[in-house]
Amino acid sequence: MPADRVHLVRHGEVFNPEGVLYGRLPHFGLSDLGKRMAAAAADDLVSRGRPVTGLFSSPLQRARESAQPISEAFGLEPQIDERIIEPTNAFEGTRMRGPGGSLRRPANWRYLVNPWKPSWGEAFSSVTARMLAAMNDARHSVESGDVAMVSHQLPIWVTHLVITGKRPAHDPRKRRCALSSITSFEWHDGRFVELGYTDPGAPIASDATDVGAV
């Protein structure tokens, strides 16, 4: 039998003193607070009393580091899956707002002409297709138990939208996908259904910096 449940875990806070949109850039690892948030996510999974028998991670450093506490808690070797990586983004490496921010530059406005696609990066339809394919393969990679997959805010959020019957186009400011949050799914009647959302990092997240995408 495949896995009973798939948990999409977002990475913890990133050390990002310049406040840039880090996207797929290398060398953006977790802050000290982010490491504590990642540990809180692992503790949450342990507290459920369910075996996690498979662990997958985006190849980006912040996701790999966030997978480590889960790896240690369940004795699993994380497997890298390129399909659950952050989407491409034309604003990668820049600060979005404030003095000198990318949104103030007329040359960048061409990237904002179609927020429903979106025009600044990988299409939502592409993101959800690769995420769902990765989730289904991960489900079949084990014979029982649950699978945890450490990914990023936008891929997790648009996957939630599609699975719950909503359009993937959305306002980035209104995503329900906090740092180190866990969105859980089960397979029923040939499709994924959402079971719930938890935010185990919330008690320590008051001072966290979360630089999201446009």
Side-chain angles (χ1 to χ4, degrees):
M1 293 290 291
D4 297 318
R5 297 180 182 178
V6 175
H7 306 285
L8 297 184
V9 183
R10 190 183 172 202
H11 62 79
E13 184 195 51
V14 174
F15 181 70
N16 181 21
E18 300 301 320
V20 302
L21 183 70
Y22 32 73
R24 294 185 176 186
L25 294 174
H27 313 307
F28 278 88
L30 297 183
S31 65
D32 289 341
L33 176 59
K35 293 174 183 177
R36 292 167 55 205
M37 297 174 85
D43 290 344
D44 182 276
L45 290 172
V46 170
S47 72
R48 302 180 187 205
R50 300 179 57 86
V52 173
T53 56
L55 176 59
F56 295 82
S57 172
S58 157
L60 297 177
Q61 181 177 341
R62 59 189 181 274
R64 297 198 315 269
E65 291 180 355
S66 296
Q68 193 58 37
I70 303 173
S71 170
E72 295 170 357
F74 293 97
L76 298 171
E77 183 67 27
Q79 300 181 58
I80 300 301
D81 193 326
E82 298 279 350
R83 295 173 295 181
I84 62 175
I85 196 174
E86 187 85 88
T88 56
N89 194 307
F91 296 104
E92 185 177 275
T94 70
R95 286 185 296 107
M96 298 302 297
R97 296 175 175 81
S102 291
L103 295 183
R104 293 174 178 256
R105 301 174 185 172
N108 290 332
W109 294 350
R110 60 194 171 100
Y111 296 122
L112 304 173
V113 295
N114 185 4
W116 310 116
K117 184 180 179 181
S119 50
W120 56 78
E122 183 182 1
F124 294 136
S125 58
S126 170
V127 177
T128 54
R130 60 178 171 82
M131 286 291 291
L132 290 169
M135 290 169 65
N136 198 36
D137 287 349
R139 187 175 71 88
H140 285 283
S141 71
V142 298
E143 296 182 355
S144 62
D146 295 0
V147 171
M149 308 183 77
V150 184
S151 185
H152 308 271
Q153 186 188 61
L154 190 148
I156 295 172
W157 180 241
V158 295
T159 300
H160 149 80
L161 290 174
V162 168
I163 287 176
T164 56
K166 302 179 180 69
R167 296 177 60 188
H170 63 281
D171 183 341
R173 298 168 297 182
K174 298 181 179 179
R175 294 173 185 156
R176 182 213 64 184
C177 190
L179 294 163
S180 290
S181 61
I182 303 172
T183 310
S184 301
F185 304 89
E186 270 189 352
W187 185 266
H188 284 295
D189 298 325
R191 66 185 186 91
F192 284 109
V193 296
E194 187 168 317
L195 288 179
Y197 169 85
T198 60
D199 185 7
I204 57 174
S206 59
D207 294 327
T209 300
D210 187 2
V211 180
V214 293

